[in-house]
Every structure is written in structure tokens, then in C-alpha cells.
Amino acid sequence: MAQEIRKIKESFEKDLEKGKSKDFFQELKVKYLGRKSKISELFSNIPNLPKQERGRWGKELNILKNQISSAIEERLSEKIQKEERLDLTYPAKRPQKGSIHILSSVTKEICLIFKELGFNVIEGNEVEDEWHNFSALNIPLDHPSRDAFDTFYLDLAKKDKKSGNWLLRSHTSPSQIRIMQQVDPPLAVISPGRVYRPDVVDATHSFMFYQIEGFVVGQDINFSYLKGTLLYFARQFFSQEVQLRFRPHFFPFTEPSAEVDVSCVICSKKNKQKNQDRCPVCKGKGWLEILGCGMIHPDVLEACNIDSKKYQGFAFGMGVDRIVMQKYQINDIRLFYENDINFLKQFSI
Ligand code: PHE
């Protein structure tokens, strides 16, 4: 008996080394543990042994059977894992594809509408000086927006006295100045980019956001040109049915100035009379503020050496984040900057 067991062990160890495939180990299982195996035969032979030896050999055979069985199972599960990993018919995982950020794609879309009207896209500088960001725009020295609570000042040596301190631009309006200083009218420019304000971050505020500035300078430019341009833009961007509402406002760099609201696309479509029923987008007001605008102040033209008797202009500035939030009903500006792929990929094209 001892000899038989040793033989089985030896032949099993040899067989085990030969094992290459899952099928091979399945066959090995039949060979060593199946009904017709040597071990089964020995088991059935136990009753023929002398009584006092039966228990001992029964135990020995069981140990052998368990050893063989666990050795095979171990190899088998290794093979199954490996062979599954190598299954060439398994469908491939799609590679993760990057996409244009929603703020960039909407910026592009807006610029394109103005480009079709003949505007040129020119980006300004994110690092500006006090003169371009404030003084040339007719913003007085004691204006609250110049305060360090409202503007990020940079710890850099001043260029000269006139330029004042360096800062991160708080709006895209200094692009007007940079371009008007360099290019003679007629001018039609659209200037997108980032702006910075030290606001406490919450659902509607961020210390960095996106604006798009637009302006036209030429002869005989009046407020009607401004209205016509903005109405064309709003109807291209939102929907052909929208209306605009101009509310008188004040900006130091435009006179007269206005804030512009667009009729709410969501609730005016659903129910023209009953937009009081608290629409989630306009909160039942029926109007959404989209931008600030006005006729360029003569002092601003003069600061850029443009003859304000000969030339007039209009300018407007809009917040891209706000417009995207309205268009796509997004209620938290922070979502744009958290880089949550699940949020961003909703807008990928
Ligand atoms: N710069 C203004 C702002 O940031 C917007 C504006 C631009 C208003 C141009 C009038 C003309 O609020």
C-alpha cells in the first residue's frame, strides 16, 4: 500500500509540472480523483485489508486525495485567471477621451457669432496695471473697486508712476484700452478671457471667472447699433424668439449705460402669461440679466488718443459663467472649477 501511494505521488508530481492549460488540469482531476482513478481503486480495496490496517490506510489515502485535489484546484484557478486575462475576444475598454470644457466651448460659440458680424477676436492681458484696469476707464481714484478687497494686487515693482501697481485684471474692459491705444478706428473687437476678484467662493461667486468684452469704435456709431448687435447675438445664442430689456445703469466707462436682460427662454416658452409660477431659472421674473453695456465715455476714447468729436463707440461685457449657468440650468459656479469628469462630460460633444 505504501508503495502504491508513493507511486501515485510521484506520477502526480511529474504530471503537475507538465500542466499548461486549464483543460489539462481538468483531465488531471479525472485521472487522479475520478471514479476510475488509482486512488478510488485503492479506496475500494480497503475492506480487503487486515482489519487493524484499514483505518490507517484510509487516513493515508484521504490525505493524498486532499493534497492532490488542492494542488489541482490551485493551478486551475491560476490558469483560469491567466487565460481570462488573455482572452483576445474580450471587448476592449474605450480609452477616456478628453473634451473641451463647457466654459471654453461657450466662449468659442459666442465669439463665433460676433465674428460672423465682422468682429475680430483679440485677447488682452491677465496681468494689468492700475492705469489700464481703472484710470483709463474713467474709474476715479477713490472708487471702491480699486480697493484691495475687490482687486488682487501683485507684489511687483511698478513700471512707472502713471501705470501704478500691477494687478490681476478685475474685468476684461482694459482690453478696450490696450487695443484702442494700438489700432486706429474703425474697430470691432471681441475679447474673451479670465478675470479675478477676491470674492469669497460660494454657489454664485468665484475668485476667477470668465468674461467676454466687445466694443465697436467708428463714425456715427449710436445706441441703436448697440441694441441691434446685442439683439442679433441673443437671438443667435439663446433662441430666435427672445426679447431684450435695457435697464438704465451706471458704469464709469460708458455713458449712457445699461444692464441688459434677456427674456427667460424656459418659462416664456412654457407659459407666456404665467411665468410668475416660479420658474427655476429666472425665479418667476421672466427676465435674466446677461450683460452690462453702454456708449464708450468720451474720456475713455481720449485716454487712448482717439478724437471723441470724430469717433463714437459702444462696449459691452458679459460673464460667461453666469450665461452658461442660465443656459444649462446649473446652480453652482464651483462645478465649473472642480474638474469632476462626470459633471464635465455631460457637455462633451
Ligand atoms: N466691465 C463691466 C463689468 O465687469 C462690464 C461692462 C463692460 C459694462 C463694458 C459696460 C461696458 O461689470
mmCIF file of all heavy atoms in Angstrom, residues 87-111:
data_model
loop_
_atom_site.group_PDB
_atom_site.id
_atom_site.type_symbol
_atom_site.label_atom_id
_atom_site.label_comp_id
_atom_site.label_asym_id
_atom_site.label_seq_id
_atom_site.Cartn_x
_atom_site.Cartn_y
_atom_site.Cartn_z
ATOM 1 N N ASP A 87 -7.913 36.639 -22.931
ATOM 2 C CA ASP A 87 -8.991 36.411 -23.882
ATOM 3 C C ASP A 87 -9.031 37.545 -24.900
ATOM 4 O O ASP A 87 -9.481 38.642 -24.623
ATOM 5 C CB ASP A 87 -10.318 36.331 -23.112
ATOM 6 C CG ASP A 87 -11.475 36.056 -24.052
ATOM 7 O OD1 ASP A 87 -11.236 35.993 -25.273
ATOM 8 O OD2 ASP A 87 -12.600 35.907 -23.549
ATOM 9 N N LEU A 88 -8.522 37.224 -26.095
ATOM 10 C CA LEU A 88 -8.392 38.272 -27.104
ATOM 11 C C LEU A 88 -9.723 38.672 -27.722
ATOM 12 O O LEU A 88 -9.806 39.659 -28.444
ATOM 13 C CB LEU A 88 -7.427 37.822 -28.211
ATOM 14 C CG LEU A 88 -6.007 37.542 -27.739
ATOM 15 C CD1 LEU A 88 -5.144 37.110 -28.901
ATOM 16 C CD2 LEU A 88 -5.392 38.773 -27.071
ATOM 17 N N THR A 89 -10.761 37.904 -27.423
ATOM 18 C CA THR A 89 -12.071 38.252 -27.999
ATOM 19 C C THR A 89 -12.826 39.196 -27.062
ATOM 20 O O THR A 89 -13.891 39.689 -27.396
ATOM 21 C CB THR A 89 -12.922 36.996 -28.211
ATOM 22 O OG1 THR A 89 -13.188 36.409 -26.931
ATOM 23 C CG2 THR A 89 -12.231 36.013 -29.120
ATOM 24 N N TYR A 90 -12.263 39.429 -25.866
ATOM 25 C CA TYR A 90 -12.930 40.276 -24.881
ATOM 26 C C TYR A 90 -13.004 41.717 -25.406
ATOM 27 O O TYR A 90 -12.010 42.242 -25.897
ATOM 28 C CB TYR A 90 -12.143 40.230 -23.580
ATOM 29 C CG TYR A 90 -12.933 40.685 -22.384
ATOM 30 C CD1 TYR A 90 -13.878 39.845 -21.788
ATOM 31 C CD2 TYR A 90 -12.736 41.959 -21.855
ATOM 32 C CE1 TYR A 90 -14.603 40.265 -20.706
ATOM 33 C CE2 TYR A 90 -13.469 42.389 -20.776
ATOM 34 C CZ TYR A 90 -14.399 41.538 -20.189
ATOM 35 O OH TYR A 90 -15.123 41.965 -19.125
ATOM 36 N N PRO A 91 -14.202 42.344 -25.340
ATOM 37 C CA PRO A 91 -14.305 43.706 -25.901
ATOM 38 C C PRO A 91 -13.367 44.678 -25.188
ATOM 39 O O PRO A 91 -13.265 44.663 -23.964
ATOM 40 C CB PRO A 91 -15.752 44.103 -25.663
ATOM 41 C CG PRO A 91 -16.397 42.983 -24.968
ATOM 42 C CD PRO A 91 -15.445 41.862 -24.758
ATOM 43 N N ALA A 92 -12.684 45.504 -25.938
ATOM 44 C CA ALA A 92 -11.702 46.429 -25.364
ATOM 45 C C ALA A 92 -12.406 47.553 -24.608
ATOM 46 O O ALA A 92 -13.537 47.898 -24.921
ATOM 47 C CB ALA A 92 -10.860 47.009 -26.483
ATOM 48 N N LYS A 93 -11.709 48.082 -23.612
ATOM 49 C CA LYS A 93 -12.249 49.238 -22.882
ATOM 50 C C LYS A 93 -12.029 50.471 -23.730
ATOM 51 O O LYS A 93 -10.949 50.644 -24.293
ATOM 52 C CB LYS A 93 -11.476 49.407 -21.574
ATOM 53 C CG LYS A 93 -12.164 48.805 -20.394
ATOM 54 C CD LYS A 93 -11.503 49.314 -19.118
ATOM 55 C CE LYS A 93 -12.089 48.652 -17.902
ATOM 56 N NZ LYS A 93 -11.305 48.938 -16.720
ATOM 57 N N ARG A 94 -13.041 51.335 -23.801
ATOM 58 C CA ARG A 94 -12.860 52.572 -24.556
ATOM 59 C C ARG A 94 -11.861 53.465 -23.827
ATOM 60 O O ARG A 94 -11.983 53.644 -22.613
ATOM 61 C CB ARG A 94 -14.168 53.360 -24.597
ATOM 62 C CG ARG A 94 -15.051 52.979 -25.729
ATOM 63 C CD ARG A 94 -16.392 53.683 -25.533
ATOM 64 N NE ARG A 94 -17.385 53.094 -26.403
ATOM 65 C CZ ARG A 94 -17.546 53.431 -27.667
ATOM 66 N NH1 ARG A 94 -16.808 54.381 -28.192
ATOM 67 N NH2 ARG A 94 -18.457 52.853 -28.414
ATOM 68 N N PRO A 95 -10.893 54.053 -24.511
ATOM 69 C CA PRO A 95 -9.974 54.960 -23.815
ATOM 70 C C PRO A 95 -10.722 56.227 -23.404
ATOM 71 O O PRO A 95 -11.655 56.643 -24.105
ATOM 72 C CB PRO A 95 -8.914 55.273 -24.874
ATOM 73 C CG PRO A 95 -9.548 54.946 -26.177
ATOM 74 C CD PRO A 95 -10.600 53.919 -25.946
ATOM 75 N N GLN A 96 -10.352 56.776 -22.252
ATOM 76 C CA GLN A 96 -11.004 58.016 -21.818
ATOM 77 C C GLN A 96 -10.568 59.157 -22.727
ATOM 78 O O GLN A 96 -9.384 59.371 -22.922
ATOM 79 C CB GLN A 96 -10.587 58.326 -20.381
ATOM 80 C CG GLN A 96 -11.364 57.510 -19.404
ATOM 81 C CD GLN A 96 -11.788 58.339 -18.208
ATOM 82 O OE1 GLN A 96 -11.451 59.505 -18.102
ATOM 83 N NE2 GLN A 96 -12.534 57.738 -17.316
ATOM 84 N N LYS A 97 -11.563 59.858 -23.243
ATOM 85 C CA LYS A 97 -11.266 60.907 -24.214
ATOM 86 C C LYS A 97 -11.481 62.257 -23.546
ATOM 87 O O LYS A 97 -12.490 62.456 -22.871
ATOM 88 C CB LYS A 97 -12.228 60.718 -25.387
ATOM 89 C CG LYS A 97 -12.050 61.683 -26.528
ATOM 90 C CD LYS A 97 -12.859 61.219 -27.737
ATOM 91 C CE LYS A 97 -14.324 61.359 -27.572
ATOM 92 N NZ LYS A 97 -15.109 62.421 -27.895
ATOM 93 N N GLY A 98 -10.551 63.155 -23.706
ATOM 94 C CA GLY A 98 -10.735 64.486 -23.154
ATOM 95 C C GLY A 98 -11.750 65.252 -23.978
ATOM 96 O O GLY A 98 -12.074 64.856 -25.096
ATOM 97 N N SER A 99 -12.290 66.314 -23.417
ATOM 98 C CA SER A 99 -13.234 67.110 -24.210
ATOM 99 C C SER A 99 -13.069 68.580 -23.848
ATOM 100 O O SER A 99 -12.462 68.917 -22.841
ATOM 101 C CB SER A 99 -14.660 66.658 -23.946
ATOM 102 O OG SER A 99 -14.985 66.861 -22.596
ATOM 103 N N ILE A 100 -13.611 69.439 -24.687
ATOM 104 C CA ILE A 100 -13.498 70.877 -24.440
ATOM 105 C C ILE A 100 -14.381 71.241 -23.243
ATOM 106 O O ILE A 100 -15.534 70.823 -23.170
ATOM 107 C CB ILE A 100 -13.976 71.668 -25.686
ATOM 108 C CG1 ILE A 100 -13.284 71.174 -26.955
ATOM 109 C CG2 ILE A 100 -13.787 73.166 -25.494
ATOM 110 C CD1 ILE A 100 -11.899 71.644 -27.175
ATOM 111 N N HIS A 101 -13.835 72.025 -22.335
ATOM 112 C CA HIS A 101 -14.592 72.456 -21.151
ATOM 113 C C HIS A 101 -15.775 73.313 -21.598
ATOM 114 O O HIS A 101 -15.650 74.088 -22.549
ATOM 115 C CB HIS A 101 -13.651 73.258 -20.253
ATOM 116 C CG HIS A 101 -14.194 73.495 -18.871
ATOM 117 N ND1 HIS A 101 -15.209 74.388 -18.621
ATOM 118 C CD2 HIS A 101 -13.858 72.960 -17.682
ATOM 119 C CE1 HIS A 101 -15.467 74.379 -17.330
ATOM 120 N NE2 HIS A 101 -14.657 73.511 -16.733
ATOM 121 N N ILE A 102 -16.890 73.157 -20.903
ATOM 122 C CA ILE A 102 -18.104 73.875 -21.303
ATOM 123 C C ILE A 102 -17.888 75.395 -21.369
ATOM 124 O O ILE A 102 -18.414 76.067 -22.258
ATOM 125 C CB ILE A 102 -19.295 73.498 -20.374
ATOM 126 C CG1 ILE A 102 -20.586 74.204 -20.766
ATOM 127 C CG2 ILE A 102 -18.998 73.747 -18.913
ATOM 128 C CD1 ILE A 102 -21.135 73.834 -22.104
ATOM 129 N N LEU A 103 -17.068 75.949 -20.455
ATOM 130 C CA LEU A 103 -16.843 77.399 -20.499
ATOM 131 C C LEU A 103 -16.067 77.787 -21.761
ATOM 132 O O LEU A 103 -16.314 78.835 -22.354
ATOM 133 C CB LEU A 103 -16.084 77.876 -19.248
ATOM 134 C CG LEU A 103 -16.846 77.787 -17.931
ATOM 135 C CD1 LEU A 103 -15.935 78.164 -16.771
ATOM 136 C CD2 LEU A 103 -18.079 78.683 -17.943
ATOM 137 N N SER A 104 -15.134 76.922 -22.179
ATOM 138 C CA SER A 104 -14.375 77.215 -23.395
ATOM 139 C C SER A 104 -15.252 77.087 -24.625
ATOM 140 O O SER A 104 -15.163 77.894 -25.545
ATOM 141 C CB SER A 104 -13.194 76.249 -23.550
ATOM 142 O OG SER A 104 -12.379 76.326 -22.431
ATOM 143 N N SER A 105 -16.102 76.047 -24.644
ATOM 144 C CA SER A 105 -16.886 75.857 -25.871
ATOM 145 C C SER A 105 -17.939 76.948 -26.013
ATOM 146 O O SER A 105 -18.206 77.412 -27.119
ATOM 147 C CB SER A 105 -17.475 74.454 -25.964
ATOM 148 O OG SER A 105 -18.440 74.260 -24.995
ATOM 149 N N VAL A 106 -18.511 77.410 -24.880
ATOM 150 C CA VAL A 106 -19.491 78.502 -24.987
ATOM 151 C C VAL A 106 -18.783 79.810 -25.367
ATOM 152 O O VAL A 106 -19.293 80.592 -26.177
ATOM 153 C CB VAL A 106 -20.322 78.639 -23.688
ATOM 154 C CG1 VAL A 106 -21.149 79.907 -23.696
ATOM 155 C CG2 VAL A 106 -21.235 77.426 -23.527
ATOM 156 N N THR A 107 -17.588 80.037 -24.827
ATOM 157 C CA THR A 107 -16.822 81.229 -25.203
ATOM 158 C C THR A 107 -16.591 81.250 -26.715
ATOM 159 O O THR A 107 -16.787 82.266 -27.384
ATOM 160 C CB THR A 107 -15.460 81.245 -24.469
ATOM 161 O OG1 THR A 107 -15.709 81.297 -23.071
ATOM 162 C CG2 THR A 107 -14.606 82.440 -24.863
ATOM 163 N N LYS A 108 -16.213 80.104 -27.232
ATOM 164 C CA LYS A 108 -15.966 79.970 -28.668
ATOM 165 C C LYS A 108 -17.238 80.258 -29.461
ATOM 166 O O LYS A 108 -17.211 80.970 -30.470
ATOM 167 C CB LYS A 108 -15.514 78.529 -28.941
ATOM 168 C CG LYS A 108 -14.338 78.425 -29.863
ATOM 169 C CD LYS A 108 -13.925 76.970 -29.953
ATOM 170 C CE LYS A 108 -12.939 76.756 -31.068
ATOM 171 N NZ LYS A 108 -12.574 75.354 -31.164
ATOM 172 N N GLU A 109 -18.330 79.678 -28.970
ATOM 173 C CA GLU A 109 -19.624 79.836 -29.657
ATOM 174 C C GLU A 109 -20.016 81.316 -29.710
ATOM 175 O O GLU A 109 -20.440 81.824 -30.752
ATOM 176 C CB GLU A 109 -20.657 79.025 -28.858
ATOM 177 C CG GLU A 109 -22.020 78.914 -29.485
ATOM 178 C CD GLU A 109 -23.014 78.206 -28.548
ATOM 179 O OE1 GLU A 109 -22.586 77.552 -27.548
ATOM 180 O OE2 GLU A 109 -24.226 78.336 -28.796
ATOM 181 N N ILE A 110 -19.837 82.017 -28.591
ATOM 182 C CA ILE A 110 -20.205 83.438 -28.538
ATOM 183 C C ILE A 110 -19.300 84.252 -29.479
ATOM 184 O O ILE A 110 -19.768 85.085 -30.252
ATOM 185 C CB ILE A 110 -20.132 83.968 -27.085
ATOM 186 C CG1 ILE A 110 -21.206 83.279 -26.223
ATOM 187 C CG2 ILE A 110 -20.271 85.493 -27.034
ATOM 188 C CD1 ILE A 110 -21.154 83.581 -24.739
ATOM 189 N N CYS A 111 -17.994 83.974 -29.417
ATOM 190 C CA CYS A 111 -17.059 84.717 -30.280
ATOM 191 C C CYS A 111 -17.404 84.507 -31.748
ATOM 192 O O CYS A 111 -17.303 85.432 -32.551
ATOM 193 C CB CYS A 111 -15.613 84.291 -30.006
ATOM 194 S SG CYS A 111 -15.012 84.886 -28.416
#
